[in-house]
Amino acid sequence: MITSLSLPHLALADQEALADLFRRGTPGNTARAWERDLAYITAWKLAAFGQPLSWPEDEGVALRFILDHADDLTETHSPARDTAAALVAQGLRRSLACPAPATLDRRVASWRAFHRMKNLASPFDAPLVAQARSRARRAAARPPAPKSDHPITRPVLEDMLDSCDDSRRGRRDRAALMLGWASGGRRRSEIVALNHDDLDLREWAAKGLIRIRLLTTKTTGADVAPRLPLKGRAARAVLDWLSTACIEEGPVFRPVSQADRVLDRRLTPEGLARIVRHPLHIAGYPPGFASAHGLRAGFLTQAALDGAPLQAAMRLSLHRSAAQAQRYYADVELADNPAANLLG
């Protein structure tokens, strides 16, 4: 997506070098989000104004973008509805309903980032536009929807593990689920990004401990890559998978063919999502019971149920915001809170 920064005051070679620096220094998930947002923004302006994007963009266009995404357009008849309908037809927008404030915030943030890449002032920084954006966020405020319908707490995880057989696929699934849960509730992207050399086995013989290096997460980069502990059953499951699959280098988690043959390529985030869905189905849970994010939600929910201090859980989950992590603790039924049993 970052192919050229279009900075006329720089030599072409410098522009190319700067674009390459942006590509190498931008996390993959961020780059993919930028690509989707650029496609949406470009299509929106073409549908709304019949014109391509301008750099810098006009403040009136930025204001119209916010206004078009501040209302439910289902029952209205307006140019904004016509524009939204065109985007729905192109598969770029799900419906005519008002988008979530977080979706608008992300697209605005991407548009601002594109201006920064070109060393241009963003129209979204204009006082009137910024005020309109703030009011739109408040007007469309809604309770945050959970990323997983249910947390995968310890009992649910045990049911999932019981459904994993001793085939290569079953051993892989067992290792991925246990590592993802026990190392702090890892995200899909973090689990599938692991390579063999990210697993430090030097303390295994003496302490039964594997240290996992996470080169890139949503809150950390390679310069401060955390090293998280993995112990007990989870560590043994990972070692069993590595031995069974004869993995000594490269990706830790890989696809397994229908013939139960381990492939060389890296498992995708969607492949990890299937690893979560399939054991839930085999264990008898209803469709859609939990997503891969349920591993993360389940770890924190179980930590709350077990009385683990929030800060201790956050050291493993790597949440930057205590308020965000606290939501999982707040979701625990008050009667199940260990503090309710202090007198016995």
Side-chain angles (χ1 to χ4, degrees):
M1 197 270 301
I2 307 171
T3 56
S4 173
L5 298 182
S6 302
L7 299 172
H9 60 284
L10 291 181
L12 181 59
D14 290 337
Q15 292 186 48
E16 293 175 350
L18 191 57
D20 180 64
L21 179 63
F22 270 82
R23 282 193 296 271
R24 291 185 289 111
T26 303
N29 286 345
T30 300
R32 285 187 288 273
W34 280 349
E35 289 178 359
R36 293 192 299 269
D37 291 339
L38 181 60
Y40 182 90
I41 293 164
T42 301
W44 172 84
K45 188 177 180 189
L46 192 60
F49 292 90
Q51 299 173 358
L53 294 176
S54 299
W55 305 102
E57 192 54 84
D58 184 75
E59 290 181 16
V61 172
L63 184 60
R64 169 77 181 275
F65 184 78
I66 291 172
L67 295 175
D68 276 12
H69 296 82
D71 289 314
D72 185 338
L73 303 173
T74 306
E75 302 297 333
T76 65
H77 297 280
S78 65
R81 189 188 192 282
D82 295 339
T83 299
L87 296 174
V88 171
Q90 296 175 57
L92 295 173
R93 180 167 173 160
R94 291 184 181 179
S95 71
L96 300 178
C98 182
T103 302
L104 176 61
D105 283 347
R106 194 198 68 239
R107 287 173 178 155
V108 168
S110 295
W111 209 339
R112 294 181 69 199
F114 303 147
H115 278 81
R116 287 196 300 272
M117 289 178 202
K118 297 175 179 292
N119 203 32
L120 298 172
S122 166
F124 292 98
D125 293 331
L128 178 61
V129 179
Q131 283 292 316
R133 181 183 171 197
S134 175
R135 297 298 186 274
R137 190 185 300 114
R138 291 184 183 180
R142 63 188 73 171
K147 295 181 180 178
S148 178
D149 284 350
H150 296 88
I152 298 175
T153 53
R154 189 187 297 117
V156 178
L157 180 66
E158 294 290 4
D159 289 342
M160 296 170 71
L161 297 176
D162 288 343
S163 73
C164 298
D165 58 26
D166 287 329
S167 65
R168 290 186 178 90
R169 183 187 299 273
R171 291 169 189 247
R172 178 205 62 184
D173 293 359
R174 186 180 296 113
L177 291 169
M178 294 181 81
L179 180 148
W181 198 93
S183 62
R186 304 271 55 88
R187 301 175 180 89
R188 291 187 303 169
S189 59
E190 296 166 358
I191 296 172
V192 300
L194 286 173
N195 290 319
H196 189 280
D197 59 6
D198 293 322
L199 306 179
D200 185 346
L201 307 178
R202 289 176 295 180
E203 298 177 82
W204 173 247
K207 299 181 180 179
L209 175 68
I210 298 175
R211 294 195 183 273
I212 302 172
R213 177 181 61 182
L214 297 178
L215 285 178
T216 303
T217 74
K218 284 181 68 175
T219 55
T220 62
D223 53 336
V224 287
R227 297 168 62 83
L228 302 175
L230 191 69
K231 301 175 167 181
R233 296 166 57 201
R236 290 193 296 271
V238 171
L239 292 179
D240 177 62
W241 158 245
L242 293 176
S243 175
T244 299
C246 300
I247 295 175
E248 297 181 353
E249 62 180 3
V252 171
F253 295 110
R254 309 174 184 205
V256 176
S257 71
Q258 292 297 322
D260 209 35
R261 183 171 63 87
V262 179
L263 307 182
D264 290 336
R265 66 177 183 270
R266 186 182 303 278
L267 189 71
T268 65
E270 177 53 34
L272 196 282
R274 287 193 293 270
I275 287 177
V276 172
R277 289 196 298 265
H278 183 67
L280 283 169
H281 172 71
I282 297 300
Y285 289 89
F289 177 83
S291 69
H293 193 269
L295 294 172
R296 188 163 177 79
F299 170 80
L300 284 164
T301 301
Q302 193 65 54
L305 289 168
D306 290 354
L310 176 63
Q311 292 299 326
M314 287 177 61
R315 289 192 65 186
L316 288 176
S317 69
L318 302 178
H319 275 88
R320 277 189 303 195
S321 166
Q324 187 178 29
Q326 175 66 39
R327 287 207 297 264
Y328 297 100
Y329 275 57
D331 285 343
V332 171
E333 167 61 41
L334 200 58
D336 295 330
N337 189 317
N341 301 319
L342 291 181
L343 196 57

